[in-house]
Amino acid sequence: MRTGIEMTILLFFLQINWEKLRPENLFGGQILERTPAGLSVVYLIGLTVLVGFLLISFSSSFRHPKFNFERDLPKEVKRKLTKTVTDRSLRIWQFVFITLAFTVFGFHVYWAVFAEKDGGRFQELSNRDLRTRRAASSQLRGWMLDRSGKLVNALAYYKRQTDGDIVRTYPLDREMAQLLGTELGTPGLERTLYAQKADPMPESWEVLTKIKRDDDTQRDVRITIDRDLQTYLAKELDGKTGAIVVLNPQTGEVLGIYSNPSFSLGDIKDANDLHRLERDKKSRPLLSRALREYYVPGSTFKAFTMINAFRNGKQNIQLDGKPAPECYTPFRGSRAICDADGSCEICGTFGIPDAFRISSNQFFSQLAVNLGREKLGETAGLVGIQAVDTPAEATTQGFFPGIWNVSNSRIAGAIAPARSTVVTGSKISLYDLGLEGMGQGYAGQMTPFQMALIASIPANMQGNLMKPKIEYDQPPQIFGKIVSPQQAATMRDIMATVTEESGGTGRVVAAKLAGTGIRVGGKTGTAEKLAPVYNADGTIKTVKKKRRVNGILTEYDAPVLAKRVDSWFISIAPLENPQVAIAVVVEGAGQGARTAAPIAADVILKAGELGLLGDQYKPKAPVPQAERKKKKKKK
């Protein structure tokens, strides 16, 4: 009878599909993600109970006597009996503890060391562990998408290599390097757009008891950069040293920003690679010239002086251009300020429109003096330029993260521009103030980024300066209300005279855009600057000079400086509703109309092709020949 029952039970168990009872197959095929965490909690409870038993056993050995027959025995005999009982008990527990310890830790060693390499089943199930997945995902950054939001236009993503390793990949490895930053050096967008948590691994109890953890912050990020435009900017500066910045003046979106020379993120594998790039003082590939290099802006700064005049009700002012050698003399005994030809471009009385079109140094120097130091400093502050009292202060202003419209301060700090400055203190002369009005002298600490912001003010339909932004979903913010909408419209017309009217210094731009219907406003700039001369190995060339220090004549190495003429152009397009504000600078390339202006025209054409100026300027797709024939037959 018993044998029949046992056989029945055995057959019952044999018919059970034990595979279905695996934790990962229970509950309709849903994975029991909390099983590993639950087992960890059970293990800890069991270990605690075992330790508790050991402590109880140990403490019980001090309770004497244990048996009635021990009461009348001598102390020496009691002690030996107690020790014998205790030793026997401890040996049993030692055996139990060591057996369990070896079993548990051997199990862990197997799964941690051997199973990961050889156990395909383990590798499959390990990815199902909720803790493993959460820890892994917290270390992985999301995709970085360009403004289109399309995966095919991703700027950073993960790719599985042939050996199975997953690596962070950057399609624009060189074009975006200075924006993305490096893992070893200065942080960029890569280390600030994605928040890292200090302890991403959740505790077992948290996994077991919490149904859902807060969403991780390593999600995909969409930025305002246009991938195709960014690639084009790099192509335009190939073989040149300089920078290009492209903004949307209505929203503040940074559409493209690039400076050359650059570097490849793949070239930095360790600290030695980083130090090698840092030692390259001639090319300085790690430096974003667009954001953190100071330039003399030349005549492009006349756009700022014009904005200053409009803000202070002097848009209709009339001033004189005088011939050489007198030209414009700010005060008796002062050096004269002449136009580029050494005399006067226009001799006689004229206003801002003509002065801007021909780029009159005399006019804008007079205008700056007429407006005065206080107005210069006030307007400078409104457009993001720091007004300081002395030239020494101009070199200590650091960075300006506050100009950015960002979701958190870490992003602003990573891409903060160097703070552009002007000197307005009472110790500088009226001659110095006049030079600043025409973009020379103490106005020589401008970044290309700052000049793009200045161009964006008349380009904004409301006359506002928008905070630049790099995060696509960040709502637009106004940095300052600079001029009225009517004044902005007037300034746009004045900027158009540079590219469209006779005598305009940037007519090459209109010539390149002929037939597109795109109207452009702009301002050329030609800026002279003393720059260091470099040896063939990239080091700065020096000469021995002598100077007295505390009455002692000492010798030192002084850098050799030579005059460099930088080519500038700022522009806005299309004129009726500008969608781009552009700043271009090319070091040592001569007049603005020769190099920078044609580059800006090419960038505008590319922006139109990409639809960044509006669909009306996007080239229409050519009609296939077969389709053209069909239309002719119908006619």
Side-chain angles (χ1 to χ4, degrees), residues 420-433:
S420 296
T421 62
V422 291
V423 182
T424 59
S426 58
K427 292 185 179 180
I428 67 167
S429 68
L430 293 180
Y431 174 80
D432 294 322
L433 195 63

Side-chain angles (χ1 to χ4, degrees), residues 399-473:
F399 300 110
F400 187 27
I403 191 67
W404 282 102
N405 169 16
V406 290
S407 60
N408 68 71
S409 59
R410 293 179 298 104
I411 300 171
I415 54 175
R419 190 70 184 263
S420 296
T421 62
V422 291
V423 182
T424 59
S426 58
K427 292 185 179 180
I428 67 167
S429 68
L430 293 180
Y431 174 80
D432 294 322
L433 195 63
L435 289 181
E436 286 186 305
M438 57 179 274
Q440 299 286 344
Y442 294 133
Q445 291 219 136
M446 295 294 142
T447 64
F449 190 72
Q450 181 63 62
M451 294 311 301
L453 293 177
I454 289 173
S456 73
I457 295 169
N460 183 273
M461 299 302 287
Q462 301 303 314
N464 298 328
L465 172 60
M466 304 301 294
K467 278 191 168 186
K469 67 171 189 168
I470 197 78
E471 298 165 278
Y472 188 86
D473 295 326

